[in-house]
Amino acid sequence: MRVARLYGTGDIRVGDEPEPARTAPVRPHEDDEALVRVTAVGICGSDLHWWTEGAIGDAKLSRPLVLGHEGAGVIAAGPRRGERVAIDPAIPCEACRACHDGYRNLCYNVRFAGHGETDGMLREQLRWPARLLHPLPDQVSDDAGALLEPLGVALHALDLGHVPFGGRVTVVGCGPIGLLLLQVLRVAGAGPITAVEPLSHRREAAAGYGADEVAEPDADLTGYGADVAFEVAGTDDAVRLAMQSVRPGGRVVLAGIPDHDVTTFPASLARRKGLTIAMVRRMNDVYPRAIGLAARGAVALDPLVSRRADLDEAVTAFATAQRRVGLKVLIVP
């Protein structure tokens, strides 16, 4: 099968490898793996960190790694053969305190596709725990199935935001997750919503996806008085804008991943407003909700795809995603 592996900063190589062999469950409670033919994989901002830095946060590239954690496919063998599925990329241990407390996204021993020692989805086939393969309704395309993972992150961020019905909201950063967040905020009854984004084509998309007002990063938001602000850009300027935009006693949800694993902001700004700061770590058991929203048309996923590329075009696809000239780049193995 064809596989794309990251060997170092900016060094993705596509080549032939053996088909994935069946492995025994790592833990006794786990069910068997299913063989999946991968049909769509999204390039995420975290994938771009791996590609440009050879790391994400404090995790460093230790061996050639198959990236990709936003995926959909078709089960290729066994009793569910032919079933179209979305692939949940996180395999929690189910044994640590975080798992027992209901925070599987914070699992101490999680295995995550395209991270650390766990190869991801940029390959033609993979084996994955069957319990983490969620059936896709007919009305949800394979492309949309791959976008359920970033939709899940947006839903988890919304949960952490505790947005009041009719609450005023700021979203700073309108990449794919920011645009999905705008949609779920609108469905959840938030508003008015102000979106902040430096790129003109993403500001235009934000207006179409539910923002009542769209601003550039030099806008003065100090008197906006948002109940909740979401930072989805991964920069210190975005964090500062989010904090400036909220009312005293407001809440700021940080979803962006910063370069070099460092986030800074003026302590006096946050302290004098008595802000509550929440950090987003992937998602927590939200796939069924995400699939339900997509199936009934409450969120639009397919229009976010601005380019589809073959696996052999992985290098070009990553370069396109890094330039942020579109919205979402998908690779079709």
Side-chain angles (χ1 to χ4, degrees), residues 109-188:
N109 308 302
V110 67
R111 289 176 287 150
F112 194 83
H115 186 97
E117 297 297 318
T118 305
D119 282 334
M121 304 176 194
L122 284 178
R123 43 182 164 161
E124 291 180 328
Q125 297 182 67
L126 82 160
R127 289 192 179 274
W128 208 248
R131 63 189 168 88
L132 299 176
L133 303 175
H134 299 273
L136 285 178
D138 291 341
Q139 58 268 46
V140 179
S141 70
D142 289 0
D143 288 359
L147 294 182
L148 290 169
E149 197 276 344
L151 175 58
V153 175
L155 283 170
H156 184 55
L158 176 69
D159 292 344
L160 293 174
H162 300 175
V163 179
F165 189 79
R168 185 180 290 265
V169 178
T170 309
V171 176
V172 185
C174 296
I177 292 178
L179 294 174
L180 290 166
L181 182 57
L182 288 173
Q183 295 189 64
V184 298
L185 282 165
R186 184 59 68 198
V187 173

Side-chain angles (χ1 to χ4, degrees), residues 190-231:
I193 303 170
T194 293
V196 184
E197 168 58 45
L199 299 178
S200 60
H201 69 282
R202 292 187 173 182
R203 289 197 299 272
E204 181 179 352
Y209 279 118
D212 297 290
E213 179 184 2
V214 180
E216 297 186 37
D218 59 358
D220 183 3
L221 300 179
T222 52
Y224 183 65
D227 296 293
V228 185
F230 296 88
E231 176 276 314

